[in-house]
Each structure stands twice: as structure tokens, then as C-alpha cells.
Amino acid sequence: MNTLVSLMAKQGNLNDQDIYKQGIYAREELSTTGIGEGIAIPHARSEAVNAPGLAAMVVKDGVDYQSLDNQLAKLFFMIAVPKTGGNEHLQILAMLSQMLMDTDFKDSLINAQSVEEFMDLINQKEAAQKTKEEEKEEA
């Protein structure tokens, strides 16, 4: 958790790491964000957030995140949204969920050998999804 919060802070998205972390823990108390299949998406709307952001991390050995399917979480995406923000987090959650339904894609992220490879995989998948959406709109 601390690593993801630090990554979010390094991006300049947070004005107070401790308050943001409290928001993450409060959200987890409602229900786990360990959605299963080795994925966790902790998120919070907080006054400690300057701008919406996303941080990601892979833990190859996995972490017990009290996931819905009792599997260890290996792939983490943390979402930060300002308290006054709209539904950005829901849009990000929907996009991530759609992308991560592809088991091969999820596994390739977990097995990425570098940050660059991880980001390239995300960018390629996002571009492919946009193309599919555009094709649906044209049809």
C-alpha cells in the first residue's frame, strides 16, 4: 500500500499522503477492492488528491488482499480522485475491468520484465480498445 501511495505522490497527484491512505483504508473497510483473479484496485476520493491519478504495481509472489476469490493479489492499480471530482474513478474502474477480463493481457502485465514493458502493454491494449469502440460506433 505504501509503495502505491508513494508512486501516486511522486506523480504530484497528492497533497497529503497520510490523509489519502486513510481514505484507501476507509474504502477497504466497506468491502475489499481485491476483485479476484490476482487483481486489486484500491481507490479513494479524497481532499488529499490534487488531480485524478492511477498508479500500478506488480507483486510477483502475491499478497493476501482478502480478495473475493481468496487468491493472492499480484496486480495492483490504485486510483486517486479529488473529493470534488466527478465520476472519473468509475470511468477508470470500468476501463480497467474491461481490459483485465483478458486473461492473457493480465498475465502479460504480471510477467512484464520492466516498467517500460508494462506501460507498453497498457498503451497497446488501450489503443486496441479505442479502435474496437470506434468500429462499434461506425457499425
Side-chain angles (χ1 to χ4, degrees), residues 95-132:
M95 178 194 69
L96 279 173
S97 296
Q98 191 173 21
M99 292 169 79
L100 295 169
M101 281 194 274
D102 179 341
T103 303
D104 292 336
F105 173 69
K106 177 195 72 159
D107 291 343
S108 66
L109 288 176
I110 291 170
N111 294 312
Q113 297 299 308
S114 67
V115 171
E116 292 78 15
E117 181 183 354
F118 186 94
M119 292 306 299
D120 285 345
L121 290 164
I122 295 275
N123 291 334
Q124 290 168 16
K125 186 69 169 179
E126 189 174 16
Q129 272 191 260
K130 285 182 182 177
T131 300
K132 280 184 186 178

Side-chain angles (χ1 to χ4, degrees), residues 1-9 14 17-29 31-34 40-44 55-57 59 63-66 73 76-79:
M1 186 72 65
N2 292 332
T3 302
L4 285 167
V5 172
S6 293
L7 286 170
M8 192 70 71
L14 305 179
Q17 291 185 49
D18 291 331
I19 290 175
Y20 176 69
K21 200 181 312 180
Q22 289 171 10
I24 290 289
Y25 289 132
R27 170 57 188 85
E28 289 298 323
E29 293 215 4
S31 67
T32 183
T33 57
I41 309 176
H43 55 280
M57 181 174 79
V59 179
V63 174
D64 182 359
Y65 206 75
Q66 299 179 354
F76 292 83
F77 291 94
M78 180 174 277
I79 302 170

Side-chain angles (χ1 to χ4, degrees), residues 33-70:
T33 57
I35 62 172
E37 302 285 324
I39 302 165
I41 309 176
H43 55 280
R45 288 178 62 165
S46 172
E47 63 275 2
V49 178
N50 297 321
L54 178 69
M57 181 174 79
V58 174
V59 179
K60 300 246 186 217
D61 293 332
V63 174
D64 182 359
Y65 206 75
Q66 299 179 354
S67 295
L68 298 174
D69 63 0
N70 294 317

